Amino acid sequence: MIVTTTPRLARAVPREYVFRVGRLLPTRVPLEAFHLWRLSARRVLARRQVVLYPFVPLMRDPRGGRGLLTDLGAHIMEDVDTEKERRDLRAAAYFIAAKRFDEGLLRAVLGGVEEMAKTDLGQKLIELGEARGEARGKAIGEARGEARGKRQTLLRLLRAKFGAVPEEVARRVEAEADIARLDALLERILTAASIQEMGL
């Protein structure tokens, strides 16, 4: 099976591939091409075709965006063995889904760009988007830069107000990518009497 991204490519794929090894008779392998947008998301998920999961958001599905993305997230959790592979697959699905769905829906179902940026694959896709000058890549890069700036500010304020910051707390701050949470911590530092009250 070959999956293509345009109907023209699907029509251009030959119906079979013929090859010969040494003096053996030719081997014929039938090929079937599918245009990605015509594949049934429900069928791909039911057959556990994990290799196609990142492309599921672009497939046909009668349930609408939220149902499709929710089912995709559940299948990734069930069908993929390691946590790293799950995170990378979710990141790939997120970036492909961004071609079709708005940021609010993606954030609600798959998590925000900050979560995707924590994965190896997400980092590579962000860098690729930034290098190509794509708007979403730039937006993600800007969000990542904003989060980094807020983390640095939070650490400076913690040191200024409470003195030495425990290494474990500093690590948690450095790992935080959620801008809304960082904003809440920056507000909390104004009234907190100790690092413990910060909830870090």
Side-chain angles (χ1 to χ4, degrees), residues 123-174:
Q123 289 286 339
K124 287 174 186 164
L125 290 169
I126 289 166
E127 288 162 14
L128 181 63
E130 289 172 341
R132 289 182 175 175
E134 293 176 0
R136 183 162 291 273
K138 283 183 178 176
I140 292 167
E142 287 167 9
R144 191 174 54 173
E146 183 183 354
R148 184 169 49 247
K150 288 178 186 286
R151 286 193 299 268
Q152 290 169 352
T153 301
L154 180 58
L155 284 170
R156 278 199 306 271
L157 290 173
L158 286 169
R159 290 184 188 111
K161 187 165 184 178
F162 304 118
V165 175
E167 194 175 312
E168 187 179 330
V169 171
R171 269 201 307 271
R172 281 200 290 267
V173 170
E174 288 292 351

mmCIF file of all heavy atoms in Angstrom, residues 123-174:
data_model
loop_
_atom_site.group_PDB
_atom_site.id
_atom_site.type_symbol
_atom_site.label_atom_id
_atom_site.label_comp_id
_atom_site.label_asym_id
_atom_site.label_seq_id
_atom_site.Cartn_x
_atom_site.Cartn_y
_atom_site.Cartn_z
ATOM 1 N N GLN A 123 10.995 19.352 18.730
ATOM 2 C CA GLN A 123 12.109 20.297 18.584
ATOM 3 C C GLN A 123 12.566 20.368 17.132
ATOM 4 O O GLN A 123 12.793 21.446 16.591
ATOM 5 C CB GLN A 123 13.291 19.876 19.470
ATOM 6 C CG GLN A 123 13.066 20.055 20.951
ATOM 7 C CD GLN A 123 13.124 21.511 21.372
ATOM 8 O OE1 GLN A 123 13.682 22.344 20.683
ATOM 9 N NE2 GLN A 123 12.532 21.808 22.501
ATOM 10 N N LYS A 124 12.701 19.192 16.502
ATOM 11 C CA LYS A 124 13.165 19.156 15.110
ATOM 12 C C LYS A 124 12.153 19.817 14.185
ATOM 13 O O LYS A 124 12.519 20.560 13.264
ATOM 14 C CB LYS A 124 13.426 17.717 14.683
ATOM 15 C CG LYS A 124 14.677 17.136 15.316
ATOM 16 C CD LYS A 124 14.837 15.682 14.992
ATOM 17 C CE LYS A 124 16.015 15.107 15.777
ATOM 18 N NZ LYS A 124 16.025 13.665 15.814
ATOM 19 N N LEU A 125 10.851 19.548 14.408
ATOM 20 C CA LEU A 125 9.824 20.146 13.565
ATOM 21 C C LEU A 125 9.761 21.659 13.743
ATOM 22 O O LEU A 125 9.564 22.399 12.781
ATOM 23 C CB LEU A 125 8.463 19.508 13.878
ATOM 24 C CG LEU A 125 8.314 18.053 13.438
ATOM 25 C CD1 LEU A 125 7.057 17.440 14.023
ATOM 26 C CD2 LEU A 125 8.288 17.959 11.918
ATOM 27 N N ILE A 126 9.949 22.117 14.976
ATOM 28 C CA ILE A 126 9.973 23.557 15.240
ATOM 29 C C ILE A 126 11.134 24.208 14.511
ATOM 30 O O ILE A 126 10.987 25.232 13.833
ATOM 31 C CB ILE A 126 10.057 23.835 16.757
ATOM 32 C CG1 ILE A 126 8.726 23.473 17.426
ATOM 33 C CG2 ILE A 126 10.408 25.297 17.035
ATOM 34 C CD1 ILE A 126 8.799 23.395 18.926
ATOM 35 N N GLU A 127 12.319 23.596 14.645
ATOM 36 C CA GLU A 127 13.509 24.147 13.977
ATOM 37 C C GLU A 127 13.322 24.165 12.467
ATOM 38 O O GLU A 127 13.698 25.123 11.797
ATOM 39 C CB GLU A 127 14.749 23.340 14.361
ATOM 40 C CG GLU A 127 15.180 23.592 15.798
ATOM 41 C CD GLU A 127 16.103 22.508 16.342
ATOM 42 O OE1 GLU A 127 16.621 21.705 15.539
ATOM 43 O OE2 GLU A 127 16.296 22.480 17.570
ATOM 44 N N LEU A 128 12.720 23.100 11.937
ATOM 45 C CA LEU A 128 12.468 23.038 10.502
ATOM 46 C C LEU A 128 11.501 24.148 10.088
ATOM 47 O O LEU A 128 11.719 24.834 9.088
ATOM 48 C CB LEU A 128 11.901 21.665 10.130
ATOM 49 C CG LEU A 128 11.596 21.418 8.663
ATOM 50 C CD1 LEU A 128 12.894 21.493 7.846
ATOM 51 C CD2 LEU A 128 10.941 20.066 8.474
ATOM 52 N N GLY A 129 10.436 24.333 10.872
ATOM 53 C CA GLY A 129 9.463 25.392 10.571
ATOM 54 C C GLY A 129 10.090 26.768 10.640
ATOM 55 O O GLY A 129 9.837 27.634 9.794
ATOM 56 N N GLU A 130 10.936 26.999 11.643
ATOM 57 C CA GLU A 130 11.600 28.289 11.775
ATOM 58 C C GLU A 130 12.542 28.513 10.601
ATOM 59 O O GLU A 130 12.635 29.608 10.051
ATOM 60 C CB GLU A 130 12.373 28.364 13.092
ATOM 61 C CG GLU A 130 11.463 28.469 14.302
ATOM 62 C CD GLU A 130 12.209 28.346 15.622
ATOM 63 O OE1 GLU A 130 13.346 27.828 15.631
ATOM 64 O OE2 GLU A 130 11.653 28.771 16.645
ATOM 65 N N ALA A 131 13.272 27.468 10.195
ATOM 66 C CA ALA A 131 14.218 27.596 9.087
ATOM 67 C C ALA A 131 13.492 27.916 7.785
ATOM 68 O O ALA A 131 13.992 28.657 6.951
ATOM 69 C CB ALA A 131 15.025 26.307 8.932
ATOM 70 N N ARG A 132 12.296 27.356 7.627
ATOM 71 C CA ARG A 132 11.528 27.610 6.403
ATOM 72 C C ARG A 132 10.722 28.899 6.490
ATOM 73 O O ARG A 132 10.093 29.300 5.519
ATOM 74 C CB ARG A 132 10.560 26.453 6.152
ATOM 75 C CG ARG A 132 11.257 25.183 5.725
ATOM 76 C CD ARG A 132 10.240 24.121 5.447
ATOM 77 N NE ARG A 132 10.866 22.930 4.918
ATOM 78 C CZ ARG A 132 10.212 21.806 4.675
ATOM 79 N NH1 ARG A 132 8.929 21.720 4.922
ATOM 80 N NH2 ARG A 132 10.844 20.763 4.191
ATOM 81 N N GLY A 133 10.714 29.504 7.668
ATOM 82 C CA GLY A 133 9.961 30.749 7.832
ATOM 83 C C GLY A 133 8.462 30.544 7.904
ATOM 84 O O GLY A 133 7.691 31.451 7.623
ATOM 85 N N GLU A 134 8.018 29.337 8.244
ATOM 86 C CA GLU A 134 6.581 29.075 8.323
ATOM 87 C C GLU A 134 5.996 29.768 9.539
ATOM 88 O O GLU A 134 6.605 29.832 10.604
ATOM 89 C CB GLU A 134 6.320 27.570 8.420
ATOM 90 C CG GLU A 134 6.712 26.836 7.150
ATOM 91 C CD GLU A 134 6.554 25.334 7.281
ATOM 92 O OE1 GLU A 134 6.142 24.852 8.351
ATOM 93 O OE2 GLU A 134 6.854 24.644 6.292
ATOM 94 N N ALA A 135 4.792 30.274 9.362
ATOM 95 C CA ALA A 135 4.147 31.055 10.431
ATOM 96 C C ALA A 135 4.001 30.256 11.714
ATOM 97 O O ALA A 135 4.304 30.735 12.793
ATOM 98 C CB ALA A 135 2.777 31.541 9.955
ATOM 99 N N ARG A 136 3.552 28.991 11.617
ATOM 100 C CA ARG A 136 3.353 28.197 12.838
ATOM 101 C C ARG A 136 4.688 27.887 13.488
ATOM 102 O O ARG A 136 4.822 27.936 14.707
ATOM 103 C CB ARG A 136 2.601 26.904 12.519
ATOM 104 C CG ARG A 136 2.310 26.074 13.766
ATOM 105 C CD ARG A 136 1.239 25.067 13.513
ATOM 106 N NE ARG A 136 -0.044 25.676 13.320
ATOM 107 C CZ ARG A 136 -0.878 25.979 14.313
ATOM 108 N NH1 ARG A 136 -0.557 25.731 15.554
ATOM 109 N NH2 ARG A 136 -2.045 26.524 14.066
ATOM 110 N N GLY A 137 5.692 27.592 12.677
ATOM 111 C CA GLY A 137 7.023 27.352 13.232
ATOM 112 C C GLY A 137 7.529 28.571 13.974
ATOM 113 O O GLY A 137 8.084 28.472 15.058
ATOM 114 N N LYS A 138 7.298 29.759 13.376
ATOM 115 C CA LYS A 138 7.721 30.996 14.037
ATOM 116 C C LYS A 138 6.949 31.205 15.335
ATOM 117 O O LYS A 138 7.516 31.590 16.350
ATOM 118 C CB LYS A 138 7.498 32.196 13.108
ATOM 119 C CG LYS A 138 8.539 32.318 12.021
ATOM 120 C CD LYS A 138 8.290 33.565 11.207
ATOM 121 C CE LYS A 138 9.352 33.737 10.148
ATOM 122 N NZ LYS A 138 9.094 34.883 9.282
ATOM 123 N N ALA A 139 5.627 30.966 15.270
ATOM 124 C CA ALA A 139 4.803 31.159 16.466
ATOM 125 C C ALA A 139 5.245 30.232 17.590
ATOM 126 O O ALA A 139 5.325 30.634 18.754
ATOM 127 C CB ALA A 139 3.327 30.910 16.130
ATOM 128 N N ILE A 140 5.550 28.984 17.240
ATOM 129 C CA ILE A 140 5.996 28.027 18.244
ATOM 130 C C ILE A 140 7.346 28.448 18.800
ATOM 131 O O ILE A 140 7.597 28.402 19.997
ATOM 132 C CB ILE A 140 6.056 26.605 17.650
ATOM 133 C CG1 ILE A 140 4.632 26.130 17.340
ATOM 134 C CG2 ILE A 140 6.732 25.634 18.601
ATOM 135 C CD1 ILE A 140 4.574 24.907 16.477
ATOM 136 N N GLY A 141 8.239 28.875 17.899
ATOM 137 C CA GLY A 141 9.557 29.355 18.343
ATOM 138 C C GLY A 141 9.433 30.546 19.277
ATOM 139 O O GLY A 141 10.131 30.644 20.281
ATOM 140 N N GLU A 142 8.499 31.463 18.944
ATOM 141 C CA GLU A 142 8.286 32.631 19.798
ATOM 142 C C GLU A 142 7.735 32.217 21.154
ATOM 143 O O GLU A 142 8.131 32.749 22.194
ATOM 144 C CB GLU A 142 7.344 33.619 19.109
ATOM 145 C CG GLU A 142 8.002 34.349 17.950
ATOM 146 C CD GLU A 142 7.008 35.075 17.068
ATOM 147 O OE1 GLU A 142 5.824 35.162 17.439
ATOM 148 O OE2 GLU A 142 7.427 35.553 16.000
ATOM 149 N N ALA A 143 6.786 31.266 21.152
ATOM 150 C CA ALA A 143 6.219 30.781 22.417
ATOM 151 C C ALA A 143 7.303 30.138 23.273
ATOM 152 O O ALA A 143 7.360 30.326 24.486
ATOM 153 C CB ALA A 143 5.093 29.783 22.144
ATOM 154 N N ARG A 144 8.170 29.374 22.620
ATOM 155 C CA ARG A 144 9.266 28.729 23.344
ATOM 156 C C ARG A 144 10.206 29.783 23.932
ATOM 157 O O ARG A 144 10.648 29.680 25.069
ATOM 158 C CB ARG A 144 10.022 27.810 22.379
ATOM 159 C CG ARG A 144 11.006 26.901 23.043
ATOM 160 C CD ARG A 144 11.605 25.930 22.073
ATOM 161 N NE ARG A 144 12.192 26.591 20.923
ATOM 162 C CZ ARG A 144 12.887 25.988 19.991
ATOM 163 N NH1 ARG A 144 13.082 24.702 20.053
ATOM 164 N NH2 ARG A 144 13.386 26.648 18.985
ATOM 165 N N GLY A 145 10.511 30.840 23.135
ATOM 166 C CA GLY A 145 11.374 31.917 23.619
ATOM 167 C C GLY A 145 10.727 32.682 24.764
ATOM 168 O O GLY A 145 11.391 33.064 25.731
ATOM 169 N N GLU A 146 9.407 32.890 24.664
ATOM 170 C CA GLU A 146 8.686 33.585 25.736
ATOM 171 C C GLU A 146 8.735 32.774 27.028
ATOM 172 O O GLU A 146 8.978 33.317 28.110
ATOM 173 C CB GLU A 146 7.229 33.812 25.314
ATOM 174 C CG GLU A 146 6.419 34.581 26.339
ATOM 175 C CD GLU A 146 4.957 34.740 25.941
ATOM 176 O OE1 GLU A 146 4.589 34.356 24.821
ATOM 177 O OE2 GLU A 146 4.186 35.237 26.771
ATOM 178 N N ALA A 147 8.527 31.467 26.913
ATOM 179 C CA ALA A 147 8.576 30.602 28.100
ATOM 180 C C ALA A 147 9.976 30.622 28.717
ATOM 181 O O ALA A 147 10.121 30.694 29.939
ATOM 182 C CB ALA A 147 8.178 29.172 27.730
ATOM 183 N N ARG A 148 11.006 30.578 27.874
ATOM 184 C CA ARG A 148 12.381 30.617 28.385
ATOM 185 C C ARG A 148 12.639 31.919 29.147
ATOM 186 O O ARG A 148 13.219 31.926 30.230
ATOM 187 C CB ARG A 148 13.374 30.473 27.216
ATOM 188 C CG ARG A 148 14.821 30.407 27.666
ATOM 189 C CD ARG A 148 15.771 29.992 26.542
ATOM 190 N NE ARG A 148 15.583 30.739 25.316
ATOM 191 C CZ ARG A 148 15.135 30.225 24.170
ATOM 192 N NH1 ARG A 148 14.841 28.942 24.092
ATOM 193 N NH2 ARG A 148 14.997 30.971 23.105
ATOM 194 N N GLY A 149 12.169 33.044 28.595
ATOM 195 C CA GLY A 149 12.338 34.338 29.267
ATOM 196 C C GLY A 149 11.622 34.378 30.608
ATOM 197 O O GLY A 149 12.163 34.897 31.597
ATOM 198 N N LYS A 150 10.424 33.816 30.669
ATOM 199 C CA LYS A 150 9.659 33.806 31.923
ATOM 200 C C LYS A 150 10.337 32.912 32.963
ATOM 201 O O LYS A 150 10.346 33.234 34.155
ATOM 202 C CB LYS A 150 8.219 33.358 31.669
ATOM 203 C CG LYS A 150 7.384 34.410 30.934
ATOM 204 C CD LYS A 150 5.986 33.911 30.661
ATOM 205 C CE LYS A 150 5.217 34.887 29.801
ATOM 206 N NZ LYS A 150 4.790 36.079 30.493
ATOM 207 N N ARG A 151 10.899 31.790 32.511
ATOM 208 C CA ARG A 151 11.627 30.907 33.443
ATOM 209 C C ARG A 151 12.822 31.636 34.046
ATOM 210 O O ARG A 151 13.066 31.564 35.255
ATOM 211 C CB ARG A 151 12.095 29.637 32.717
ATOM 212 C CG ARG A 151 11.010 28.643 32.410
ATOM 213 C CD ARG A 151 11.565 27.298 31.995
ATOM 214 N NE ARG A 151 12.376 27.352 30.802
ATOM 215 C CZ ARG A 151 11.911 27.168 29.565
ATOM 216 N NH1 ARG A 151 10.630 26.928 29.382
ATOM 217 N NH2 ARG A 151 12.725 27.221 28.534
ATOM 218 N N GLN A 152 13.575 32.346 33.205
ATOM 219 C CA GLN A 152 14.751 33.072 33.687
ATOM 220 C C GLN A 152 14.343 34.166 34.670
ATOM 221 O O GLN A 152 14.982 34.356 35.715
ATOM 222 C CB GLN A 152 15.523 33.671 32.500
ATOM 223 C CG GLN A 152 16.206 32.624 31.658
ATOM 224 C CD GLN A 152 16.740 33.182 30.348
ATOM 225 O OE1 GLN A 152 16.479 34.329 29.981
ATOM 226 N NE2 GLN A 152 17.498 32.359 29.627
ATOM 227 N N THR A 153 13.261 34.875 34.348
ATOM 228 C CA THR A 153 12.760 35.921 35.244
ATOM 229 C C THR A 153 12.328 35.331 36.572
ATOM 230 O O THR A 153 12.645 35.875 37.641
ATOM 231 C CB THR A 153 11.581 36.672 34.586
ATOM 232 O OG1 THR A 153 12.033 37.251 33.362
ATOM 233 C CG2 THR A 153 11.029 37.751 35.495
ATOM 234 N N LEU A 154 11.609 34.213 36.514
ATOM 235 C CA LEU A 154 11.134 33.572 37.741
ATOM 236 C C LEU A 154 12.307 33.145 38.624
ATOM 237 O O LEU A 154 12.306 33.388 39.837
ATOM 238 C CB LEU A 154 10.252 32.370 37.392
ATOM 239 C CG LEU A 154 9.668 31.586 38.574
ATOM 240 C CD1 LEU A 154 8.835 32.482 39.480
ATOM 241 C CD2 LEU A 154 8.835 30.418 38.067
ATOM 242 N N LEU A 155 13.323 32.556 38.036
ATOM 243 C CA LEU A 155 14.496 32.139 38.820
ATOM 244 C C LEU A 155 15.209 33.344 39.444
ATOM 245 O O LEU A 155 15.619 33.296 40.600
ATOM 246 C CB LEU A 155 15.468 31.340 37.947
ATOM 247 C CG LEU A 155 15.048 29.897 37.659
ATOM 248 C CD1 LEU A 155 15.945 29.274 36.602
ATOM 249 C CD2 LEU A 155 15.051 29.055 38.927
ATOM 250 N N ARG A 156 15.335 34.432 38.683
ATOM 251 C CA ARG A 156 15.975 35.648 39.233
ATOM 252 C C ARG A 156 15.182 36.198 40.409
ATOM 253 O O ARG A 156 15.740 36.581 41.440
ATOM 254 C CB ARG A 156 16.102 36.723 38.139
ATOM 255 C CG ARG A 156 17.304 36.527 37.244
ATOM 256 C CD ARG A 156 17.672 37.797 36.493
ATOM 257 N NE ARG A 156 16.566 38.364 35.739
ATOM 258 C CZ ARG A 156 16.275 38.038 34.486
ATOM 259 N NH1 ARG A 156 16.997 37.152 33.843
ATOM 260 N NH2 ARG A 156 15.265 38.601 33.887
ATOM 261 N N LEU A 157 13.850 36.225 40.280
ATOM 262 C CA LEU A 157 13.008 36.747 41.360
ATOM 263 C C LEU A 157 13.055 35.837 42.597
ATOM 264 O O LEU A 157 13.058 36.331 43.733
ATOM 265 C CB LEU A 157 11.562 36.899 40.871
ATOM 266 C CG LEU A 157 11.331 38.010 39.841
ATOM 267 C CD1 LEU A 157 9.910 37.956 39.303
ATOM 268 C CD2 LEU A 157 11.620 39.379 40.444
ATOM 269 N N LEU A 158 13.077 34.524 42.360
ATOM 270 C CA LEU A 158 13.176 33.591 43.487
ATOM 271 C C LEU A 158 14.474 33.819 44.262
ATOM 272 O O LEU A 158 14.469 33.864 45.496
ATOM 273 C CB LEU A 158 13.116 32.139 42.986
ATOM 274 C CG LEU A 158 11.747 31.625 42.536
ATOM 275 C CD1 LEU A 158 11.884 30.288 41.817
ATOM 276 C CD2 LEU A 158 10.789 31.503 43.712
ATOM 277 N N ARG A 159 15.565 33.985 43.537
ATOM 278 C CA ARG A 159 16.855 34.218 44.204
ATOM 279 C C ARG A 159 16.873 35.555 44.926
ATOM 280 O O ARG A 159 17.407 35.669 46.033
ATOM 281 C CB ARG A 159 17.986 34.145 43.179
ATOM 282 C CG ARG A 159 18.226 32.731 42.664
ATOM 283 C CD ARG A 159 19.424 32.650 41.719
ATOM 284 N NE ARG A 159 19.490 31.325 41.119
ATOM 285 C CZ ARG A 159 19.249 31.061 39.843
ATOM 286 N NH1 ARG A 159 18.946 32.030 39.006
ATOM 287 N NH2 ARG A 159 19.319 29.816 39.401
ATOM 288 N N ALA A 160 16.290 36.559 44.282
ATOM 289 C CA ALA A 160 16.280 37.898 44.895
ATOM 290 C C ALA A 160 15.439 37.908 46.164
ATOM 291 O O ALA A 160 15.797 38.569 47.149
ATOM 292 C CB ALA A 160 15.742 38.920 43.893
ATOM 293 N N LYS A 161 14.336 37.184 46.172
ATOM 294 C CA LYS A 161 13.431 37.227 47.321
ATOM 295 C C LYS A 161 13.797 36.219 48.413
ATOM 296 O O LYS A 161 13.689 36.533 49.603
ATOM 297 C CB LYS A 161 11.992 36.978 46.859
ATOM 298 C CG LYS A 161 10.968 37.170 47.959
ATOM 299 C CD LYS A 161 9.567 37.267 47.412
ATOM 300 C CE LYS A 161 8.583 37.550 48.532
ATOM 301 N NZ LYS A 161 7.216 37.709 48.041
ATOM 302 N N PHE A 162 14.227 34.997 47.999
ATOM 303 C CA PHE A 162 14.434 33.948 48.994
ATOM 304 C C PHE A 162 15.896 33.502 49.140
ATOM 305 O O PHE A 162 16.192 32.619 49.938
ATOM 306 C CB PHE A 162 13.581 32.715 48.640
ATOM 307 C CG PHE A 162 12.117 33.024 48.509
ATOM 308 C CD1 PHE A 162 11.462 32.833 47.299
ATOM 309 C CD2 PHE A 162 11.385 33.519 49.583
ATOM 310 C CE1 PHE A 162 10.111 33.115 47.164
ATOM 311 C CE2 PHE A 162 10.028 33.804 49.455
ATOM 312 C CZ PHE A 162 9.385 33.610 48.243
ATOM 313 N N GLY A 163 16.788 34.073 48.374
ATOM 314 C CA GLY A 163 18.194 33.658 48.441
ATOM 315 C C GLY A 163 18.438 32.444 47.569
ATOM 316 O O GLY A 163 17.863 32.316 46.485
ATOM 317 N N ALA A 164 19.266 31.525 48.030
ATOM 318 C CA ALA A 164 19.611 30.343 47.237
ATOM 319 C C ALA A 164 18.358 29.516 46.930
ATOM 320 O O ALA A 164 17.520 29.286 47.802
ATOM 321 C CB ALA A 164 20.631 29.494 47.980
ATOM 322 N N VAL A 165 18.253 29.088 45.677
ATOM 323 C CA VAL A 165 17.114 28.269 45.250
ATOM 324 C C VAL A 165 17.556 26.811 45.221
ATOM 325 O O VAL A 165 18.567 26.486 44.596
ATOM 326 C CB VAL A 165 16.639 28.700 43.838
ATOM 327 C CG1 VAL A 165 15.539 27.785 43.327
ATOM 328 C CG2 VAL A 165 16.166 30.146 43.857
ATOM 329 N N PRO A 166 16.835 25.916 45.922
ATOM 330 C CA PRO A 166 17.210 24.498 45.905
ATOM 331 C C PRO A 166 17.310 23.967 44.471
ATOM 332 O O PRO A 166 16.523 24.349 43.604
ATOM 333 C CB PRO A 166 16.069 23.811 46.669
ATOM 334 C CG PRO A 166 15.494 24.884 47.535
ATOM 335 C CD PRO A 166 15.640 26.157 46.758
ATOM 336 N N GLU A 167 18.268 23.082 44.260
ATOM 337 C CA GLU A 167 18.532 22.562 42.919
ATOM 338 C C GLU A 167 17.298 21.900 42.302
ATOM 339 O O GLU A 167 17.009 22.077 41.118
ATOM 340 C CB GLU A 167 19.683 21.553 42.993
ATOM 341 C CG GLU A 167 20.270 21.208 41.642
ATOM 342 C CD GLU A 167 21.483 20.314 41.767
ATOM 343 O OE1 GLU A 167 22.376 20.619 42.583
ATOM 344 O OE2 GLU A 167 21.513 19.315 41.043
ATOM 345 N N GLU A 168 16.547 21.161 43.112
ATOM 346 C CA GLU A 168 15.351 20.479 42.610
ATOM 347 C C GLU A 168 14.297 21.478 42.137
ATOM 348 O O GLU A 168 13.650 21.278 41.107
ATOM 349 C CB GLU A 168 14.761 19.585 43.718
ATOM 350 C CG GLU A 168 13.631 18.710 43.225
ATOM 351 C CD GLU A 168 13.079 17.817 44.332
ATOM 352 O OE1 GLU A 168 13.852 17.444 45.236
ATOM 353 O OE2 GLU A 168 11.891 17.516 44.262
ATOM 354 N N VAL A 169 14.139 22.583 42.879
ATOM 355 C CA VAL A 169 13.184 23.635 42.489
ATOM 356 C C VAL A 169 13.641 24.280 41.186
ATOM 357 O O VAL A 169 12.843 24.506 40.268
ATOM 358 C CB VAL A 169 13.035 24.695 43.609
ATOM 359 C CG1 VAL A 169 12.222 25.890 43.125
ATOM 360 C CG2 VAL A 169 12.388 24.066 44.840
ATOM 361 N N ALA A 170 14.933 24.583 41.090
ATOM 362 C CA ALA A 170 15.471 25.194 39.870
ATOM 363 C C ALA A 170 15.242 24.282 38.671
ATOM 364 O O ALA A 170 14.878 24.751 37.585
ATOM 365 C CB ALA A 170 16.958 25.498 40.041
ATOM 366 N N ARG A 171 15.411 22.966 38.852
ATOM 367 C CA ARG A 171 15.189 22.008 37.759
ATOM 368 C C ARG A 171 13.734 22.017 37.308
ATOM 369 O O ARG A 171 13.433 21.968 36.125
ATOM 370 C CB ARG A 171 15.596 20.595 38.199
ATOM 371 C CG ARG A 171 17.047 20.255 37.901
ATOM 372 C CD ARG A 171 17.266 18.735 37.856
ATOM 373 N NE ARG A 171 16.778 18.063 39.044
ATOM 374 C CZ ARG A 171 17.498 17.865 40.140
ATOM 375 N NH1 ARG A 171 18.739 18.291 40.215
ATOM 376 N NH2 ARG A 171 16.994 17.236 41.176
ATOM 377 N N ARG A 172 12.817 22.083 38.301
ATOM 378 C CA ARG A 172 11.394 22.099 37.954
ATOM 379 C C ARG A 172 11.029 23.362 37.182
ATOM 380 O O ARG A 172 10.257 23.319 36.230
ATOM 381 C CB ARG A 172 10.540 21.961 39.212
ATOM 382 C CG ARG A 172 10.446 20.528 39.701
ATOM 383 C CD ARG A 172 9.261 20.329 40.615
ATOM 384 N NE ARG A 172 9.435 20.999 41.886
ATOM 385 C CZ ARG A 172 9.944 20.437 42.982
ATOM 386 N NH1 ARG A 172 10.337 19.185 42.938
ATOM 387 N NH2 ARG A 172 10.064 21.111 44.094
ATOM 388 N N VAL A 173 11.605 24.489 37.601
ATOM 389 C CA VAL A 173 11.347 25.747 36.887
ATOM 390 C C VAL A 173 11.886 25.646 35.460
ATOM 391 O O VAL A 173 11.207 26.018 34.497
ATOM 392 C CB VAL A 173 11.973 26.955 37.620
ATOM 393 C CG1 VAL A 173 11.910 28.218 36.754
ATOM 394 C CG2 VAL A 173 11.271 27.192 38.954
ATOM 395 N N GLU A 174 13.104 25.130 35.305
ATOM 396 C CA GLU A 174 13.724 25.022 33.978
ATOM 397 C C GLU A 174 12.944 24.090 33.060
ATOM 398 O O GLU A 174 12.973 24.249 31.841
ATOM 399 C CB GLU A 174 15.174 24.517 34.098
ATOM 400 C CG GLU A 174 16.142 25.532 34.667
ATOM 401 C CD GLU A 174 16.388 26.722 33.749
ATOM 402 O OE1 GLU A 174 15.944 26.697 32.579
ATOM 403 O OE2 GLU A 174 17.013 27.689 34.202
#
